[in-house]
Amino acid sequence: MANVHKSERFAIRSEADVVALRQQVRRWAAEINFSIVDQTKLVTAASELARNTVVYGGGGTALLELMHDSVRKGVRITFEDAGPGIPDIGLALRDGYTTGGGLGLGLGGAKRLVNEFAIDSHPGVGTRIVVARWK
């Protein structure tokens, strides 16, 4: 069971908000001595998911948490929006699938960059994605 050491909530409504979240994720990952590679993986996943929150979810929030348990430390980020939701999560996670004209690597790519990934989405209700990376 992980304990939350500190947390910060971000409004995610614009590219400037995405940048602010990226910067704080990097600071917190460095604070708990993530390697540069692990920092970059977490920041990349956070950036992709924050951008999705803006572009597809119409904006939302991100809750950044610094965690620890008896043997490790980590960063967890929970993204939430009240957008249109994802009708087929399995399809959305498949590489190459896109509704926005991109490369279709976003959700699946973000999932591969973190240690924990959970998604809950309902059409017409919104989406909640929780990711974590541990050291």
Side-chain angles (χ1 to χ4, degrees):
M1 179 81 165
N3 296 305
V4 175
H5 175 69
K6 66 179 175 178
S7 65
E8 184 174 353
R9 186 172 298 277
F10 290 79
I12 305 293
R13 304 196 190 301
S14 68
E15 181 62 29
D17 296 333
V18 173
V19 171
L21 176 68
R22 283 175 57 100
Q23 291 169 340
Q24 190 70 311
V25 168
R26 183 164 306 274
R27 279 192 290 272
W28 284 19
E31 181 180 315
I32 59 173
N33 297 317
F34 273 23
S35 70
I36 294 296
V37 170
D38 286 342
Q39 289 177 41
T40 301
K41 287 179 179 181
L42 184 60
V43 168
T44 301
S47 182
E48 178 61 34
L49 296 172
R51 238 180 223 99
N52 285 358
T53 299
V54 172
V55 172
Y56 301 109
T61 62
L63 176 63
L64 181 58
E65 297 172 295
L66 193 59
M67 307 175 301
H68 63 87
D69 62 19
S70 59
V71 295
R72 60 191 182 158
K73 296 178 182 179
V75 178
R76 177 172 53 208
I77 314 165
T78 303
F79 297 90
E80 292 184 289
D81 68 58
I86 302 170
D88 187 336
I89 292 171
L91 181 61
L93 287 167
R94 190 176 306 146
D95 285 349
Y97 176 78
T98 181
T99 59
L103 296 176
L105 300 173
L107 280 179
K111 182 178 181 180
R112 287 188 295 275
L113 293 169
V114 296
N115 303 119
E116 296 176 13
F117 182 95
I119 184 169
D120 185 34
S121 187
H122 302 280
V125 177
T127 301
R128 181 176 195 260
I129 299 174
V130 181
V131 297
R133 186 142 186 100
W134 293 94
K135 178 180 178 5

